Amino acid sequence: MKREMMFKLNGEAVNVEVESAWTLLYLLREILELTGTKLGCGYGECGACTVIMDGQAVNACLVPVLEAEGKNVTTIEGLVQPDGQLHPLQRTFIDHGAVQCGFCTPGMIMSAKALLDENQSPTDEEIKESIAGNLCRCTGYVKIIEAVKAASGR
Amino acid sequence: MAQLTFVGKPIPKKDAPGKVAGEAAYIQDLKVPGMLYGRILYSAYPHAKIVRLDTTKAEKLPGVKAVLTGSTIPPFKFGVYKDNPPLKTGKVCSLRDEIAAVAAVSPEVAQDALGLIEVEYEELPALFDPIEAMKEGALLIHEEHKTNVLKMPWKLIVGDLDAAKKEAAHIVEDTFRTQWVTHCCLGASGCIASFDINNNLTMYSNTQIPYLAQKDFMEALGTFGLKNKKVRIIQSVIGGGFGSKLDTYAYEYLAILLALKTRKPVKILFSREEEFFATSPRQCTITKISHGCTKEGKLLFREMEMILDNGAYTSWGATTPSVMMLPISSLYKVPNVKYTAKCVYTNNTYSQAMRGYGNPQATFAIECSLDQLAEKAGIDPYEFRFMNANEPGETTPQNFKITSCGVKECMEAVKTRLGWTGKRMQKEGRGFGMAALVHVGGGARVYKSDGCGTIIKIDDYGKVDVFTGSSEIGQGSETIVAQIVAEVLGVPIDDINVINNDTDVCPWDVGVHASRTTFVAGNSALGAAQKLREQILDLAAATLNEDPSALDLKGSVIFSKNDKEKKIALGKILRSAHYAPGGKMLVAEYFYDPPNENFDKEFKGNLSVAYAYGAHGVEVEVDKETGQVKIIKYVAAHDVGKAINPMLLEGQIYGGGVMGLGYALSENMVYQNGKIMNPNFLDYKLLTAKDIPPIEAVIIETDEKNGPFGAKGIGEPGLVPTAPAIANAIYDAVGVRIKDLPITPEKVLKALKEKEKR
Ligand code: FES
Ligand code: FES
């Protein structure tokens, strides 16, 4: 069944007609055409679809779309400033070689951002914990962890 | 060598900004106007006759635009062995056999339509074990083939094995097994097929082999009644390859056939589950190996018999014995070798090459067995390896001409960094292990050409467009090519734009495989850039009244090496050439095909013009109560010739190493009666960020004379010796040898119990 839904997406109020069976990921990718958030599995096991909802990193593929109603959702596209300036995490991912094929990258960055928003000087263990739900087949995680560390206050 | 500005520097990946911003468009993200969505119906049985196939109901479902079955498409087979029709008729031979395909207005409607297709099967007995399938009188998977053993007699014979066996003071013999594992690209397979009004085909694809795929599709179009039509491949950004996209597959031909039937673009995108069960993984192997050496530890012979589960159809997986031969004949000096390999049809999924191309399976057996031999000879396994290792300048028994070879340096680095000496066999439960590797590092002539082309054009302002045949699959080829061109042309790296994803504009390349891109595409880019540089210097020489040889080009300025006053901005020279009467704009082109050799009938020949070496070492702690293996320290040393980009290079070593750790310890496609029981990330265990041990990457530079700026390949080597290094360390720690991968705690415990009983 279709119905109207309001939520805040990357700082802007969005009013959109949704079907209750949709996931938040479907709304983002297929309807709003924000394809930076990736679909890697569709069932909560790879983290490629990670977005931040009210401060929490969530797997958008598991979030029923109506759960986002009234919430504040940030996607990878929302990290880029209007003047094109990248978020510090985006910069450190580039500079530390944390990106290979890049399919996991948006989700990784969103998970790391949720961590750093809460905790500016995380330990290595805390960094690993925060991205433990994000699979990467290319990098072996080493440089991803370095990049998150570099973006933190440590 | 002159001071280098871009080569050798940790320059960030050129495609990284688009990827971190979420702009990069993968096949998952592409839509073209009017596009339909295709889905595939797979077999319900691993081996069965199709008695009835009725698509009437599916065709009537609103939104369905086409339904195809094997009997409604032209007869056609694809694959390395041409044994695989895109839709099966008569019978199915595995659970991934495609039997029907639907195009509809949405993926959901297409999926619903699959549910309406009625199929009746008559189940046949099936074979899932290659050893059973090889037996006399076994049922035949493909009757017309007359036997289940592929007619690819892999065989390498060197020296006199019998004499060597008699001479040997120590001999070991054992059997090792490896499991099915899969590439697990985070970006799953997919394509969009689209015909224009003239029936020319555009394929949006995430292939690793755009030009071979183009050829495959052209041939297919010929059999579909469209001879001499043009095929254009446009690659999306690719979400990982690792060998999974080295071939063309049924889903691509089905997208083409559906597009042809509906006159609309058709997209087929795999779900994660399909990616697990309907793509072609690294096959399982059974290897019988024996080794012998003299009293002093000089290696005398190696004998290996290998059985590979080919699965029901044939892709490049069946050709991996060619690369397995590298560590079998080389890496160590071994004068007498006998190797045979059989690829066997079964009713399992069919196999493909995966990062390492057979090398990890072969190296597991070799490097474990060598440790056994060293023990028998009473020699430290490091010393044993070191004394037998390849050296620069050697010609190996398979006629590999070894140029640069840093394997001994790699072994030393591992030894030093692990603190190997005196620590082995010291503490119960703690152990050290090592394994080495050789791989092709200067291309690999497995096809008629091993070439790659490059075209470079430069505009009025000195901005450069590089059109390369090589594909970016995440490994960093785009950046490496840009660094090489920037170095030669003396322009900032940001002024280099690399175009690498369109067969209409880029020159030919054989594909991303064999760790060949830095070497081959790098040499190609180097050649084109040098030609363009000459043109630029010739123009400047006339203006500056200097000999071209006295000129240099840096920071987009051409200057005389003798007279600092004599200089001119690059853009200025280019514009003056462009706008002069009879105007000229600069373009250069270069095709590089390395002077390597196809194997001859005896599987000998210099396959690569350079060989990559490495050694991995590991310290483990084994919990005797639980069988858990903890990695305390991991060292991966690689001879790369020259690190064009140390940061990206480390990325390959870490990424390969962690993939190797998964192969060693956790990854396993569990098949039961041809069905994969764990087609998801929950049950197929990839390592996560929490699972990775401390890894040290060591780069050894040996300045390969044939390589661009001295470089060799590194894409695959990172995972080759991981499993045997760990198995050897476990043996050192607790005295049990695990001979089949993955090394799970259950296997370690079981082995410990058996050891106690003895
Ligand atoms: S797509 Fe959501 S976790 Fe994989
Ligand atoms: S960079 Fe490819 S999956 Fe992480």
Side-chain angles (χ1 to χ4, degrees):
Chain A
M1 226 196 31
K2 292 239 179 193
R3 57 164 283 194
E4 292 268 301
M5 176 181 118
M6 290 260 286
F7 73 120
K8 214 163 166 198
L9 178 60
N10 296 330
E12 277 179 36
V14 174
N15 196 345
V16 62
E17 193 168 76
V18 301
E19 282 204 33
S20 55
W22 290 354
T23 62
L24 175 59
L25 183 64
Y26 185 86
L27 172 67
L28 292 172
R29 285 183 55 84
E30 302 300 328
I31 309 298
L32 302 176
E33 299 194 335
L34 291 177
T35 52
T37 306
K38 299 299 174 205
L39 168 64
C41 68
Y43 44 74
E45 289 170 8
C46 75
C49 64
T50 307
V51 299
I52 299 180
M53 190 160 81
D54 280 359
Q56 292 286 321
V58 294
N59 288 326
C61 72
L62 291 184
V63 177
V65 72
L66 289 172
E67 254 176 48
E69 178 136 49
K71 302 257 168 74
N72 200 339
V73 174
T74 308
T75 69
I76 191 75
E77 290 90 350
L79 296 200
V80 184
Q81 298 298 305
D83 64 355
Q85 186 92 9
L86 296 177
H87 184 276
L89 270 165
Q90 291 174 314
R91 269 267 50 103
T92 56
F93 266 63
I94 298 172
D95 294 342
H96 288 261
V99 181
Q100 288 189 25
C101 85
F103 204 86
C104 70
T105 307
M108 283 284 179
I109 292 179
M110 297 315 285
S111 289
K113 179 175 188 298
L115 169 74
L116 296 187
D117 287 349
E118 284 267 299
N119 174 358
Q120 268 161 41
S121 330
T123 62
D124 279 15
E125 289 318 304
E126 286 168 330
I127 292 173
K128 289 182 182 178
E129 187 66 43
S130 76
I131 57 166
N134 295 79
L135 295 176
C136 175
R137 189 51 152 170
C138 301
T139 64
Y141 306 101
V142 178
K143 289 185 177 288
I144 293 177
I145 295 162
E146 271 176 38
V148 178
K149 219 190 294 185
S152 76
R154 274 171 72 199
Chain B
M1 204 180 279
Q3 197 66 35
L4 297 172
T5 312
F6 301 105
V7 165
K9 301 289 173 347
I11 296 194
K13 258 176 124 245
K14 284 188 79 69
D15 52 345
K19 288 175 173 175
V20 300
E23 259 178 34
Y26 298 79
I27 197 73
Q28 283 73 12
D29 308 324
L30 293 187
K31 282 183 186 162
V32 299
M35 184 175 97
L36 300 174
Y37 296 84
R39 297 288 294 158
I40 298 168
L41 181 69
Y42 298 95
S43 169
Y45 294 93
H47 199 195
K49 278 195 187 130
I50 303 173
V51 181
R52 191 175 72 91
L53 183 54
D54 186 347
T55 59
T56 329
K57 285 186 190 147
E59 281 160 37
K60 287 192 183 133
L61 185 71
V64 169
K65 301 293 178 187
V67 182
L68 299 177
T69 63
S71 57
T72 62
I73 64 169
F76 164 72
K77 288 183 179 177
F78 66 94
V80 171
Y81 210 53
K82 300 275 180 255
D83 59 0
N84 196 359
L87 289 172
K88 280 59 177 174
T89 48
K91 81 166 190 172
V92 287
C93 298
S94 76
L95 282 162
R96 70 178 276 199
D97 273 32
E98 303 81 0
I99 52 178
V102 174
V105 293
S106 74
E108 294 76 22
V109 173
Q111 188 63 38
D112 289 346
L114 295 186
L116 296 175
I117 297 174
E118 292 170 9
V119 199
E120 246 177 70
Y121 300 91
E122 185 188 313
E123 206 180 344
L124 297 168
L127 290 166
F128 305 111
D129 177 351
I131 295 185
E132 291 298 316
M134 283 167 69
K135 283 189 180 149
E136 193 86 17
L139 67 90
L140 293 173
I141 312 281
H142 299 288
E143 286 79 7
E144 68 285 2
H145 190 262
K146 304 272 191 315
T147 159
N148 289 328
V149 179
L150 263 66
K151 290 161 191 157
M152 291 186 178
W154 300 107
K155 189 175 198 173
L156 177 70
I157 308 244
V158 177
D160 183 343
L161 198 78
D162 291 336
K165 281 187 175 174
K166 281 191 201 115
E167 192 191 333
H170 306 288
I171 293 181
V172 291
E173 191 184 312
D174 219 324
T175 300
F176 295 86
R177 289 163 196 266
T178 63
Q179 77 280 39
W180 288 98
V181 292
T182 183
H183 311 77
C184 287
C185 301
L186 264 266
S189 307
C191 68
I192 302 171
S194 175
F195 283 95
D196 69 9
I197 196 69
N198 296 317
N199 277 336
N200 293 314
L201 171 68
T202 298
M203 281 293 270
Y204 299 88
S205 154
N206 51 11
T207 182
Q208 293 178 234
I209 45 150
Y211 298 88
L212 299 191
Q214 180 186 41
K215 180 169 172 278
D216 281 358
F217 297 147
M218 265 162 55
E219 280 172 16
L221 289 187
T223 66
F224 303 161
L226 300 177
K227 265 216 167 64
N228 295 324
K229 289 296 168 188
K230 190 171 159 62
V231 174
R232 177 184 189 186
I233 311 273
I234 299 177
Q235 287 155 295
S236 63
V237 176
I238 298 173
F242 313 116
S244 62
K245 298 163 179 101
L246 275 186
D247 204 351
T248 50
Y249 295 102
Y251 77 89
E252 294 169 292
Y253 297 101
L254 294 175
I256 292 171
L257 287 161
L258 288 168
L260 204 53
K261 176 113 192 247
T262 58
R263 307 299 312 174
K264 296 260 192 195
V266 173
K267 178 172 188 172
I268 294 184
L269 190 63
F270 273 16
S271 67
R272 180 52 56 188
E273 193 185 358
E274 265 176 310
E275 189 73 11
F276 268 103
F277 81 78
T279 64
S280 293
R282 179 191 289 158
Q283 75 278 75
C284 62
T285 60
I286 305 162
T287 306
K288 214 174 119 196
I289 182 168
S290 80
H291 268 131
C293 66
T294 63
K295 202 152 87 323
E296 297 75 31
K298 203 164 136 306
L299 204 50
L300 282 176
F301 76 89
R302 170 177 296 142
E303 185 176 15
M304 274 170 89
E305 271 172 42
M306 199 180 251
I307 296 165
L308 294 83
D309 190 343
N310 190 59
Y313 302 96
T314 309
S315 186
W316 296 110
T319 68
T320 53
S322 60
V323 174
M324 294 181 181
M325 289 179 185
L326 268 97
I328 291 170
S329 73
S330 306
L331 180 57
Y332 302 101
K333 297 182 177 74
V334 51
N336 305 287
V337 177
K338 182 173 177 204
Y339 169 64
T340 54
K342 291 195 168 88
C343 304
V344 186
Y345 278 133
T346 63
N347 293 112
N348 291 322
T349 189
Y350 71 92
S351 69
Q352 176 55 285
M354 178 173 161
R355 201 178 199 170
Y357 213 101
N359 200 339
Q361 296 98 305
T363 298
F364 178 60
I366 292 168
E367 285 293 68
C368 287
S369 171
L370 271 193
D371 253 42
Q372 294 176 317
L373 186 60
E375 186 185 22
K376 206 159 181 189
I379 302 172
D380 176 274
Y382 163 81
E383 302 293 344
F384 188 84
R385 287 189 167 80
F386 196 88
M387 89 171 100
N388 285 295
N390 277 168
E391 284 169 320
E394 225 181 284
T395 297
T396 78
Q398 210 179 348
N399 288 346
F400 298 158
K401 297 192 176 58
I402 308 301
T403 48
S404 58
C405 170
V407 68
K408 290 191 173 182
E409 290 91 321
C410 291
M411 289 175 184
E412 275 175 331
V414 165
K415 181 182 85 158
T416 315
R417 293 189 185 225
L418 280 182
W420 175 278
T421 314
K423 279 216 242 160
R424 282 187 68 256
M425 308 207 298
Q426 283 309 306
K427 209 166 135 211
E428 181 65 7
R430 275 263 179 154
F432 292 80
M434 181 184 286
L437 84 107
V438 64
H439 201 68
V440 285
R445 187 163 295 268
V446 289
Y447 191 66
K448 289 171 283 192
S449 169
D450 191 18
C452 175
T454 309
I455 300 166
I456 308 183
K457 73 183 176 74
I458 188 161
D459 74 6
D460 283 352
Y461 308 96
K463 304 253 192 243
V464 179
D465 289 313
V466 182
F467 302 84
T468 171
S470 63
S471 304
E472 170 70 47
I473 59 169
Q475 86 282 38
S477 66
E478 186 167 311
T479 310
I480 299 296
V481 163
Q483 283 178 263
I484 289 172
V485 173
E487 191 68 56
V488 177
L489 295 184
V491 301
I493 191 99
D494 289 342
D495 284 359
I496 310 267
N497 174 39
V498 179
I499 299 105
N500 53 4
N501 68 337
D502 186 344
T503 55
D504 263 13
V505 295
C506 298
W508 195 87
D509 176 72
V510 73
V512 192
H513 66 237
S515 307
R516 63 184 283 283
T517 300
T518 293
F519 189 94
V520 179
N523 266 331
S524 175
L526 181 64
Q530 278 165 341
K531 278 169 85 175
L532 193 75
R533 179 186 164 96
E534 275 169 33
Q535 293 184 46
I536 295 168
L537 295 188
D538 282 347
L539 288 175
T543 310
L544 295 174
N545 201 11
E546 261 293 7
D547 192 78
S549 65
L551 296 177
D552 202 355
L553 175 47
K554 267 204 169 74
S556 299
V557 174
I558 302 127
F559 56 92
S560 163
K561 286 180 271 189
N562 309 324
D563 178 354
K564 286 268 139 36
E565 293 304 300
K566 280 192 178 177
K567 59 178 179 191
I568 188 163
L570 174 62
K572 208 162 172 193
I573 277 288
L574 294 167
R575 288 192 295 276
S576 58
H578 180 184
Y579 298 111
K584 183 180 171 107
M585 289 199 76
L586 303 194
V587 182
E589 165 281 327
Y590 190 76
F591 188 78
Y592 175 76
D593 190 7
N596 47 11
E597 300 167 353
N598 289 114
F599 282 149
D600 62 17
K601 285 208 176 65
E602 295 183 336
F603 294 102
K604 291 178 189 158
N606 196 30
L607 187 65
S608 185
V609 287
Y611 295 87
Y613 286 89
H616 287 195
V618 57
E619 179 180 3
V620 300
E621 200 174 79
V622 182
D623 184 330
K624 291 178 92 171
E625 300 299 310
T626 62
Q628 289 284 349
V629 176
K630 185 173 174 204
I631 293 173
I632 307 296
K633 186 166 179 174
Y634 196 93
V635 182
H638 287 271
D639 162 20
V640 299
K642 158 89 184 165
I644 303 267
N645 186 324
M647 182 167 79
L648 302 194
L649 181 60
E650 282 171 12
Q652 289 302 305
I653 298 178
Y654 293 136
V658 170
M659 198 181 262
L661 290 173
Y663 190 48
L665 299 171
S666 66
E667 291 183 37
N668 186 12
M669 300 175 90
V670 181
Y671 279 100
Q672 257 173 34
N673 295 336
K675 184 176 166 69
I676 174 171
M677 305 310 285
N678 55 345
N680 57 67
F681 286 137
L682 197 63
D683 302 313
Y684 183 91
K685 298 283 184 208
L686 293 184
L687 299 196
T688 72
K690 278 206 299 195
D691 304 320
I692 57 160
I695 306 176
E696 257 180 64
V698 185
I699 296 173
I700 304 287
E701 297 195 319
T702 50
D703 194 18
E704 167 54 44
K705 68 175 171 31
N706 300 311
F709 294 95
K712 301 193 271 193
I714 186 62
E716 297 162 284
L719 63 60
V720 171
T722 309
I726 293 173
N728 290 340
I730 293 171
Y731 182 79
D732 185 44
V734 289
V736 299
R737 179 157 294 282
I738 310 300
K739 298 170 198 165
D740 58 336
L741 296 179
I743 305 174
T744 58
E746 297 75 49
K747 286 183 195 168
V748 174
L749 266 189
K750 190 164 163 249
L752 282 168
K753 287 222 176 84
E754 272 160 23
K755 188 183 160 216
E756 256 166 45
K757 270 190 244 149
R758 262 183 271 133

